[in-house]
Amino acid sequence: MKRTKVDIITLGCSKNLVDSERLIAQLEAAGFEVTHDADDPRGEIAVVNTCGFIGDAKEESINMILQMGQRKEQGDLKRLNVMGCLSERYLKELTDEIPEVDHFFGKFDWAQLVEEITKNGPKVVEYERKLTTPSHYAYLKIAEGCNRNCAYCAIPIITGKHQSRPIEEIEEEVRMLVARGVKEFQIIAQELTYYGLDLYHRRAIAELVECLAQIPGVQWLRLHYAYPTDFPMELLRVMREYPNVCRYLDIALQHISDSVLERMHRHITGEETRALITQLRKEVPGIEIRTTLMVGFPGETEQDFEELVEFVKWAHFDRMGAFAYSEEDGTYAGDNYEDDVDDETKQVRLSKLMRVQQRISAEVQEKKIGQTMRVIIDRVEGEYYIGRTEFDSPEVDPEVLIKTTRNVDADKVEELNLQIGSFYDVEIVSADDFDLYGVVVEK
């Protein structure tokens, strides 16, 4: 019997990716043939999982919907469904403006989407997933929503209040994935340091991570999207004591100027932010910190920006991303502040900040030359194996390149036989601004 083919296209963040993986598992359990992010979608049904966070992401989502709508008009596609953050936020507008779509579903309506496609409800447990990542690592979503209500951010409007998953359920999912060969977990949430307050009336992220670290087969746990205000310091003890908890923290700081932080509703001062960075490095020796900063927020003066530049030089972040403020409908900033920093100034400030960070990144990379580091191999590209250290998250951080061949002597070259998803001790022999180059250490 021929199986109906479904194409799922995921846009946006890794949290969306987890939702798509859950959807794939449900559809395959119901007998459908599913492809994910195919270069040339040819299925009878398409599902576009959208992002609605910032302007560029919304534009990308709309363009993909229109592209799939054109396939439907041409008769190449029978049904088009849209889910995710964009349709959660702009359901009525999208329904009116893009009639080619058969059904729009919100971010949390995936069970209804499964029923729409299969004509039955979900077939397997809610957290069952079909991984779209390499089989040795997975994203682990521990919560939905956010209670922070930063002035610029639309996420709480889209996803609602923070909702933690029970520790027991997360543990069960991790055990299931370990049994399938997953060794590395990227722990994600919109704000993971808030985890547990709604369920347990306490910050339970340290307790959760400690539980997961004790599951046999868990090789690496990496923490993403922490928030600096009221940071749970107990988490640092867990990072320090458990070798499989990576010395890595992704913590979005956004700014350092007190006046900007206050207008952003971040509930933290510049002095408190500096003290936190100092404490992180004191409590977890060797920790590498990734952060995100914003330039051009309403009211940001040249003095505010220069303070931010000096902060970046002082903090010496191992990883840093930055973006220019863009006004979002329905946010406090969008409704109450004038977007008074012009686009040209925003781009000048953004470029300057990233040039400063590029020099810092080069210094960070260069200091690793001569070190032997534990590396997991993700894939082969051309003449290199591509891997990562505990300080490198997939897709966003630098990688380690290892030649697929090595010189045995002046006249002989042999192939290396490294296994995808396996760990190796690698000596770093050179570096550039973004990547490391290494050789496997013989044992």
Side-chain angles (χ1 to χ4, degrees):
M1 179 179 176
K2 182 182 176 184
R3 294 195 297 167
T4 301
K5 295 182 179 180
V6 181
D7 283 305
I8 296 178
I9 298 121
T10 304
L11 304 169
C13 66
S14 53
K15 295 184 287 294
N16 268 12
L17 185 67
V18 172
D19 293 338
S20 290
E21 291 177 344
R22 291 167 61 201
L23 178 59
I24 294 169
Q26 298 293 342
L27 295 179
E28 289 188 344
F32 289 77
E33 180 181 337
V34 185
T35 61
H36 182 258
D37 283 351
D39 293 331
D40 184 20
R42 293 183 177 275
E44 301 161 57
I45 300 171
V47 179
V48 181
N49 190 355
T50 59
C51 178
F53 181 42
I54 58 176
D56 289 347
K58 287 187 281 190
E59 183 178 354
E60 182 185 25
S61 293
I62 290 170
N63 288 340
M64 181 57 69
I65 296 169
L66 294 174
Q67 182 181 327
M68 290 297 105
Q70 189 173 21
R71 282 194 65 223
K72 188 182 176 193
E73 286 187 335
Q74 293 168 347
D76 298 327
L77 180 66
K78 290 184 179 179
R79 298 191 69 76
L80 173 58
N81 296 301
V82 174
M83 64 181 288
C85 293
L86 190 73
S87 57
E88 178 77 31
R89 190 175 184 195
Y90 298 108
L91 179 62
K92 184 179 186 307
E93 295 90 331
L94 291 170
T95 302
D96 293 342
E97 294 175 14
I98 313 180
E100 296 87 351
V101 175
D102 292 285
H103 283 94
F104 287 95
F105 296 88
K107 180 172 176 58
F108 305 109
D109 298 336
W110 67 275
Q112 292 93 313
L113 174 56
V114 171
E115 188 169 352
E116 155 64 19
I117 295 175
T118 67
K119 307 310 175 188
N120 289 293
K123 296 284 187 181
V124 292
V125 294
E126 183 174 330
Y127 53 82
E128 178 71 49
R129 294 159 60 185
K130 174 68 176 289
L131 293 183
T132 60
T133 56
S135 60
H136 55 276
Y137 73 78
Y139 293 96
L140 182 67
K141 183 160 59 171
I142 65 171
E144 290 280 10
C146 186
N147 283 29
R148 293 296 188 175
N149 294 312
C150 299
Y152 50 82
C153 185
I155 292 296
I157 301 170
I158 299 169
T159 62
K161 295 290 187 181
H162 181 101
Q163 298 179 56
S164 303
R165 294 175 59 197
I167 289 177
E168 296 77 15
E169 180 182 290
I170 297 170
E171 283 187 284
E172 189 172 346
E173 180 180 2
V174 168
R175 292 182 190 277
M176 176 188 74
L177 291 170
V178 166
R180 296 178 186 174
V182 177
K183 303 173 182 178
E184 174 188 359
F185 294 86
Q186 326 299 332
I187 301 177
I188 58 173
Q190 189 60 39
E191 205 280 78
L192 61 81
T193 43
Y194 199 90
Y195 175 82
L197 276 173
D198 55 322
L199 276 183
Y200 308 116
H201 309 293
R202 66 181 186 275
R203 295 182 186 276
I205 183 63
E207 179 182 343
L208 172 66
V209 174
E210 190 161 24
C211 288
L212 300 182
Q214 296 176 65
I215 295 176
V218 174
Q219 298 287 313
W220 276 351
L221 296 166
R222 190 177 287 105
L223 301 169
H224 283 278
Y225 320 130
Y227 194 91
T229 307
D230 302 320
F231 186 89
M233 292 299 178
E234 177 68 8
L235 182 59
L236 302 182
R237 177 193 62 80
V238 176
M239 296 180 73
R240 188 174 62 248
E241 293 183 0
Y242 288 85
N244 58 349
V245 179
C246 296
R247 293 169 296 164
Y248 176 105
L249 186 65
D250 187 342
I251 180 167
L253 299 176
Q254 305 300 357
H255 218 282
I256 196 62
S257 161
D258 284 345
S259 62
V260 176
L261 288 169
E262 184 176 359
R263 289 170 67 80
M264 285 180 167
H265 297 173
R266 295 289 285 178
H267 307 293
I268 194 170
T269 66
E271 182 180 353
E272 290 166 340
T273 301
R274 292 182 179 90
L276 176 60
I277 297 298
T278 301
Q279 189 75 1
L280 292 174
R281 288 177 167 150
K282 177 183 177 182
E283 296 286 337
V284 187
I287 191 173
E288 296 207 1
I289 300 171
R290 161 177 276 282
T291 195
T292 306
L293 301 173
M294 183 191 297
V295 301
F297 188 75
E300 182 191 59
T301 65
E302 196 63 36
Q303 182 179 349
D304 293 327
F305 173 68
E306 289 302 326
E307 184 179 355
L308 182 62
V309 170
E310 292 306 309
F311 170 64
V312 169
K313 292 177 181 177
W314 171 84
H316 215 263
F317 293 111
D318 304 277
R319 314 275 187 265
M320 191 202 84
F323 61 101
Y325 169 79
S326 63
E327 187 172 288
E328 288 295 314
D329 299 336
T331 61
Y332 184 91
D335 292 342
N336 294 277
Y337 299 154
E338 179 187 354
D339 188 3
D340 57 357
V341 182
D342 63 81
D343 289 343
E344 182 179 356
T345 300
K346 289 177 183 176
Q347 290 307 312
V348 168
R349 290 177 181 177
L350 182 61
S351 296
K352 179 175 180 178
L353 197 65
M354 293 310 299
R355 285 196 303 272
V356 170
Q357 180 59 32
Q358 186 174 0
R359 291 193 293 272
I360 293 170
S361 296
E363 292 173 17
V364 169
Q365 297 292 84
E366 189 174 354
K367 286 181 180 178
K368 293 176 180 175
I369 296 173
Q371 294 185 35
T372 296
M373 310 184 79
R374 190 175 185 227
V375 171
I376 192 168
I377 303 299
D378 282 340
R379 64 191 186 280
V380 180
E381 282 186 8
E383 60 180 6
Y384 289 100
Y385 288 103
I386 311 295
R388 290 173 293 106
T389 73
E390 69 173 293
F391 307 115
D392 305 310
S393 197
E395 300 185 4
V396 297
D397 287 329
E399 295 173 315
V400 180
L401 282 65
I402 305 162
K403 279 206 166 185
T404 56
T405 60
R406 63 182 170 193
N407 296 325
V408 178
D409 53 41
D411 302 315
K412 186 177 179 182
V413 175
E414 69 176 14
E415 295 281 337
L416 283 182
N417 185 27
L418 305 187
Q419 301 300 308
I420 304 300
S422 292
F423 291 91
Y424 297 89
D425 290 332
V426 175
E427 181 185 354
I428 307 303
V429 296
S430 64
D432 58 29
D433 289 355
F434 301 104
D435 293 318
L436 301 172
Y437 296 81
V439 295
V440 174
V441 175
E442 294 293 336
K443 293 186 177 180

